[in-house]
Amino acid sequence: MARASKASKRDDSPAPDRAGRAAQIRQVWSLTRSADRKLPLVVLGPAIGLLAALVVAGVLIGHPVYLSILGVLGALVVAMAIFGRRATKAMYAQVEGQPGAGASVLQTLRGDWRTTPAVAFNRNMDLVHRVVGRPGVVLIGEGNPGQLRQLLVDQKRRVGRVAPDTPIYEVIIGDGEGQVPLRKLQQHVMKLPRNVGRKDIDGLEQRMKALGGTNVPMPKGPMPRPGQIPRGKMR
């Protein structure tokens, strides 16, 4: 009997994954609301409106329970979609312009990406980050484009020594010609051609480790994204 009681107690406890996900959503909500005071109204208003409309329609056509269930599900979908957009907008507003903002965005890449922030920098805090993934090696610079050119050239030369046959891409974050805005950085990197097999990424990363990295302070806090945030591996 005692064993059965203990087993029942364990079964009634919340799953760790669900608890962690709920805590993450609460944290993202708190961070987003601090930057977006209209968040509750913008998120809950349309959701409650949709729910009310479907409940009223259900009463009128004689199917209140069925349409009420659909209304609850629809309201959740609408609320999460709006929350996601507002959270992403608040995230970029929070980190844009800070040294290391690009590294913060790169940490949220979906899939098998290995990000090493600030592999090169100067006293003006112009930074170069290195990402290893299916495209090969991606070098991302943020700061003064004129100062970044030499940093990128040096890093490309170093990568070429340990991985001569691996494609190397260069990206500079910014709004100028030939640059990639911070808000489009993740999308740009994920659209690069796939040149490296999944099984070869570990080996490529090991070669990159020989080049080392640097420990430069980056913007703190999670990237606001509702639900479980898939992250690239941080090295």
Side-chain angles (χ1 to χ4, degrees):
M1 292 294 291
R3 292 181 180 177
S5 176
K6 290 181 179 179
S8 176
K9 187 176 181 180
R10 285 195 299 268
D11 293 341
D12 292 340
S13 61
D17 289 345
R18 290 185 180 181
R21 184 171 182 175
Q24 189 174 49
I25 292 176
R26 288 195 298 270
Q27 185 179 19
V28 172
W29 176 274
S30 177
L31 288 171
T32 305
R33 189 177 181 184
S34 65
D36 186 356
R37 293 298 179 183
K38 296 181 179 180
L39 182 66
L41 179 62
V42 172
V43 171
L44 298 179
I48 294 174
L50 175 62
L51 175 59
L54 287 177
V55 170
V56 171
V59 172
L60 292 176
I61 66 176
H63 295 284
V65 175
Y66 177 68
L67 284 184
S68 293
I69 294 174
L70 287 180
V72 171
L73 295 176
L76 287 174
V77 171
V78 169
M80 290 304 293
I82 297 174
F83 176 37
R85 289 196 297 269
R86 304 289 287 203
T88 301
K89 182 179 179 180
M91 174 271 293
Y92 286 118
Q94 180 182 4
V95 302
E96 196 163 15
Q98 297 185 40
S104 295
V105 172
L106 294 169
Q107 290 178 47
T108 66
L109 285 167
R110 297 184 297 273
D112 192 6
W113 300 86
R114 321 294 175 87
T115 301
T116 305
V119 293
F121 68 100
N122 57 28
R123 61 185 178 183
N124 297 322
M125 289 304 290
D126 301 310
L127 305 169
V128 175
H129 314 297
R130 185 177 66 229
V131 177
V132 175
R134 294 291 303 280
V137 177
V138 188
L139 300 174
I140 296 99
E142 57 176 314
N144 186 310
Q147 300 294 325
L148 285 170
R149 291 297 178 188
Q150 189 58 49
L151 292 176
L152 287 167
V153 169
D154 292 342
Q155 284 302 308
K156 188 173 183 178
R157 186 182 301 116
R158 296 187 68 200
V159 171
R161 291 197 193 106
V162 297
D165 300 324
T166 301
I168 304 172
Y169 297 89
E170 298 179 31
V171 177
I172 293 181
I173 299 172
D175 296 316
E177 184 178 355
Q179 301 174 358
V180 178
L182 181 67
R183 61 188 177 276
K184 295 182 179 180
L185 176 61
Q186 188 180 86
Q187 180 182 10
H188 177 85
V189 172
M190 293 187 69
K191 284 187 174 181
L192 292 174
R194 281 7 186 189
N195 304 305
V196 179
R198 296 182 185 278
K199 297 180 180 179
D200 300 323
I201 294 179
D202 286 336
L204 178 59
E205 184 189 23
Q206 290 300 319
R207 281 184 277 174
M208 293 302 104
K209 282 184 177 181
L211 301 178
T214 47
N215 185 18
V216 175
M218 297 293 159
K220 297 181 180 180
M223 298 294 283
R225 183 183 298 275
Q228 184 66 34
I229 304 178
R231 295 181 179 273
K233 294 183 180 178
M234 193 70 179
R235 293 289 182 268

